[in-house]
Amino acid sequence: MITENQIKSKVWESKQEYSLTKESLKMLWENSIPLIRIKDFATKQECDSLVAQAQLFNFDSYQNVYPKIERIGITVFEYNRISKSAYFQAVERTTKLRDSIMAASFNPLERLMDKIRDCTGANVRIASEPLYGNYYAGLIRKIEQGTQWHIDYAPSEQSEWESEVCGTDVHLLHGRLEGVPYPIIPGHFSVGRVVETGGQVRDVNGKLIRPGAIATFLDVHETCYNCWYCLVAKSSTRCPQRKVYGVTYSAKDGLLGGWSQLIYLKPGVKVITLPAEVSPKQFIAGGCALPTAIHAIDRAQIQIGDNVVVQGSGPVGLSAAILALLSGAGKVIVIDKFESRLKVAQSFGVDETLIIETDNPRQHIERVLELTNGHGADVTIEATGVPIAVKEGLAMTRNGGRYVIVGHYTNTGEILINPHLEINLKHIDIRGTWGIDFSHFYRMIELLKRHSDSRKNIAWENLISRAYTLKEINQALADVEHGYVLKAVIQPNS
């Protein structure tokens, strides 16, 4: 699992030997430890037999590679000047040879997968890719200094195609959005490996996008940049021509949603490759919530030292709270009815978390006023989608403050507001936030790049509660709707 080059290129947190546990596997995936040693994995007789068979078949296919392998998951074809299809043809040939060797000795690959299954309860199998087949697992090689033989394996698949489940998908399930051409393939925020391109394709930075690259794309497409909203109002998110992957494209139009093993990106879709510093998991952890929150923070115009209240600690609310901290807020207060979500907010360093008490519905409002010397918040950001939260938010915002609504993406009802007492007399700015454009999407990736090291910066991955397969989509939607998970991710190829 490790090479000498990797050890030299990494200052490991610990160089002690670790046995196989859930915790040590997590540390290995996070690149915090160099290896896991499984003692008594095989007998000396089994090892001798395996080596003898490998030598008999003249099986020594290890080659030095450049650049150095420095992260789990890099595949051999990225280092060879061969096509992807040629790589998988070579895999097929080599796998047959590997299986012959193991059939004549013993099968350490299955044994290792069984041990990981027993340890984690996970569905462990050899990584595969649609239209191509399995990746290669099991590389018998000679160590550079010495003659000892051993075997490297990559049996635990790390999905390279992920699409999130968000509140919008729950609304889509219940038919709460207008203009949706059912049936659809949901999944509007996704990341994955490019299978093929139709000619030369470049991202916004001019970088050539090649097969094998990890890329993502803005789900909003076909914005016309020719209408009154685009040209005069400078509000492209209100363009009547805009389409959204996973929302306003019908399944009849093709593979235009992320909850699919493959997705087709139409000409003109804004694609960008992920920088090396940002993993697919970190990107999907930010998901559509992070650029949406960036838009909300832009609208909020937070100034250094501002007291900021965030209503709701779902993905959008938590992202807004993190961004408020990064924007220099003097105090960030997060409110929610789920204590589990508030604990996640605390882990990101917010100053106060307040739980909504059903038997004392004004308690959190009074506490905000207490924490702000009776004035109220300079900025309040609504990220709940609950109508009554707007009335409560206005009450928590100071005279002359700013109230930003970002949680209401569907019609959930009305509330009674006194325009004189709650808005005009308080001289409050109320600002809606609808959708995102490419600038929010691009800045999201730059932000993740700047704060990608979870040990030093922000542990974005903590936002993900669980990954689901395509067969588990209904369960994922139910878990999101009932608040059982913070963020759900669909891995279509698992």
Side-chain angles (χ1 to χ4, degrees), residues 223-239:
T223 304
C224 74
Y225 301 107
N226 198 42
C227 68
W228 183 87
Y229 286 101
C230 290
L231 296 179
V232 180
K234 303 297 183 185
S235 298
S236 63
T237 63
R238 299 302 302 134
C239 174

Side-chain angles (χ1 to χ4, degrees), residues 76-332:
V76 175
F77 76 83
E78 291 183 83
Y79 289 90
N80 291 322
R81 297 188 181 280
I82 60 174
S83 68
K84 190 170 186 176
S85 59
Y87 164 75
F88 277 99
Q89 289 172 6
V91 166
E92 185 176 358
R93 293 192 301 270
T94 310
T95 298
K96 290 179 180 178
L97 185 56
R98 177 204 67 191
D99 290 346
S100 298
I101 292 170
M102 292 182 181
S105 52
F106 84 106
N107 193 326
L109 177 58
E110 281 299 328
R111 184 175 298 180
L112 178 58
M113 289 196 289
D114 284 341
K115 285 184 176 293
I116 296 176
R117 291 184 190 111
D118 293 342
C119 172
T120 65
N123 178 23
V124 182
R125 61 185 176 83
I126 297 172
S128 62
E129 191 159 336
L131 306 182
Y132 290 99
N134 287 347
Y135 283 94
Y136 183 69
L139 182 63
I140 306 174
R141 66 180 177 88
K142 288 183 179 180
I143 291 179
E144 288 79 359
Q145 297 178 356
T147 57
Q148 178 185 358
W149 289 68
H150 74 283
I151 296 179
D152 295 338
Y153 289 104
S156 182
E157 179 170 5
Q158 296 186 30
S159 177
E160 291 180 335
W161 175 243
E162 296 185 307
S163 185
E164 73 169 346
V165 183
C166 77
T168 300
D169 298 306
V170 175
H171 295 319
L172 287 167
L173 175 67
H174 295 295
R176 296 174 185 153
L177 274 67
E178 296 179 359
V180 178
Y182 296 102
I184 64 169
I185 301 174
H188 54 279
F189 232 77
S190 308
V191 61
R193 187 176 292 279
V194 177
V195 175
E196 62 182 57
T197 62
Q200 286 199 351
V201 179
R202 298 184 183 274
D203 67 14
V204 69
N205 293 317
K207 183 177 180 181
L208 188 64
I209 301 174
R210 294 185 173 91
I214 300 295
T216 184
F217 62 98
L218 179 65
D219 57 336
V220 178
H221 182 45
E222 298 190 34
T223 304
C224 74
Y225 301 107
N226 198 42
C227 68
W228 183 87
Y229 286 101
C230 290
L231 296 179
V232 180
K234 303 297 183 185
S235 298
S236 63
T237 63
R238 299 302 302 134
C239 174
Q241 302 300 320
R242 71 198 289 268
K243 297 277 191 178
V244 182
Y245 268 72
V247 179
T248 56
Y249 281 120
S250 170
K252 300 174 184 177
D253 297 326
L255 297 175
L256 304 177
W259 299 2
S260 173
Q261 292 179 314
L262 293 169
I263 192 168
Y264 171 65
L265 301 186
K266 295 164 70 86
V269 169
K270 304 299 185 292
V271 185
I272 190 166
T273 53
L274 282 194
E277 296 88 346
V278 181
S279 70
K281 187 175 182 180
Q282 288 171 324
F283 173 84
I284 209 65
C288 70
L290 187 51
T292 300
I294 289 173
H295 194 182
I297 292 295
D298 287 348
R299 300 282 284 161
Q301 295 181 308
I302 293 172
Q303 300 179 50
I304 292 174
D306 274 351
N307 291 320
V308 178
V309 167
V310 179
Q311 296 173 277
S313 58
V316 173
L318 283 171
S319 297
I322 294 168
L323 294 174
L325 290 168
L326 294 176
S327 299
K331 184 177 293 181
V332 177

Side-chain angles (χ1 to χ4, degrees), residues 223-494:
T223 304
C224 74
Y225 301 107
N226 198 42
C227 68
W228 183 87
Y229 286 101
C230 290
L231 296 179
V232 180
K234 303 297 183 185
S235 298
S236 63
T237 63
R238 299 302 302 134
C239 174
Q241 302 300 320
R242 71 198 289 268
K243 297 277 191 178
V244 182
Y245 268 72
V247 179
T248 56
Y249 281 120
S250 170
K252 300 174 184 177
D253 297 326
L255 297 175
L256 304 177
W259 299 2
S260 173
Q261 292 179 314
L262 293 169
I263 192 168
Y264 171 65
L265 301 186
K266 295 164 70 86
V269 169
K270 304 299 185 292
V271 185
I272 190 166
T273 53
L274 282 194
E277 296 88 346
V278 181
S279 70
K281 187 175 182 180
Q282 288 171 324
F283 173 84
I284 209 65
C288 70
L290 187 51
T292 300
I294 289 173
H295 194 182
I297 292 295
D298 287 348
R299 300 282 284 161
Q301 295 181 308
I302 293 172
Q303 300 179 50
I304 292 174
D306 274 351
N307 291 320
V308 178
V309 167
V310 179
Q311 296 173 277
S313 58
V316 173
L318 283 171
S319 297
I322 294 168
L323 294 174
L325 290 168
L326 294 176
S327 299
K331 184 177 293 181
V332 177
I333 304 166
V334 178
I335 302 170
D336 203 285
K337 64 179 180 179
F338 295 111
E339 189 172 355
S340 60
R341 292 186 171 190
L342 292 176
K343 287 182 179 179
V344 178
Q346 292 167 3
S347 74
F348 285 110
V350 303
D351 299 284
E352 295 280 346
T353 56
L354 305 176
I355 194 162
I356 299 173
E357 299 179 0
T358 54
D359 57 345
N360 188 4
R362 286 196 58 84
Q363 183 268 344
H364 56 284
I365 302 173
E366 293 166 357
R367 180 58 177 155
V368 166
L369 295 175
E370 181 182 338
L371 290 169
T372 56
N373 300 312
H375 300 301
D378 299 293
V379 172
T380 303
I381 299 173
E382 179 280 322
T384 67
V386 179
I388 193 61
V390 175
K391 189 174 183 71
E392 294 178 353
L394 291 172
M396 289 184 279
T397 307
R398 69 165 173 85
N399 292 348
R402 299 174 296 286
Y403 188 66
V404 177
I405 299 173
V406 69
H408 285 263
Y409 275 83
T410 187
N411 186 352
T412 55
E414 300 176 349
I415 52 168
L416 183 64
I417 290 178
N418 186 310
H420 171 69
L421 295 177
E422 296 174 87
I423 301 175
N424 209 43
L425 183 61
K426 294 187 70 171
H427 196 62
I428 285 180
D429 277 359
I430 301 177
R431 303 175 181 181
T433 307
W434 185 262
I436 64 171
D437 62 26
F438 190 80
S439 70
H440 308 116
F441 180 72
Y442 184 87
R443 288 156 60 201
M444 165 203 181
I445 295 175
E446 291 299 300
L447 177 75
L448 290 171
K449 181 179 176 181
R450 174 66 178 84
H451 298 279
S452 60
D453 189 338
S454 60
R455 291 165 296 176
K456 298 178 182 178
N457 297 294
I458 300 169
W460 302 104
E461 298 92 333
N462 289 350
L463 293 171
I464 299 176
S465 303
R466 185 188 158 186
Y468 300 77
T469 66
L470 284 178
K471 294 180 180 179
E472 298 172 314
I473 282 175
N474 289 335
Q475 184 64 53
L477 287 164
D479 289 349
V480 170
E481 182 172 15
H482 294 107
Y484 299 149
V485 297
L486 178 57
K487 179 182 280 288
V489 172
I490 301 296
Q491 295 179 341
N493 295 322
S494 294

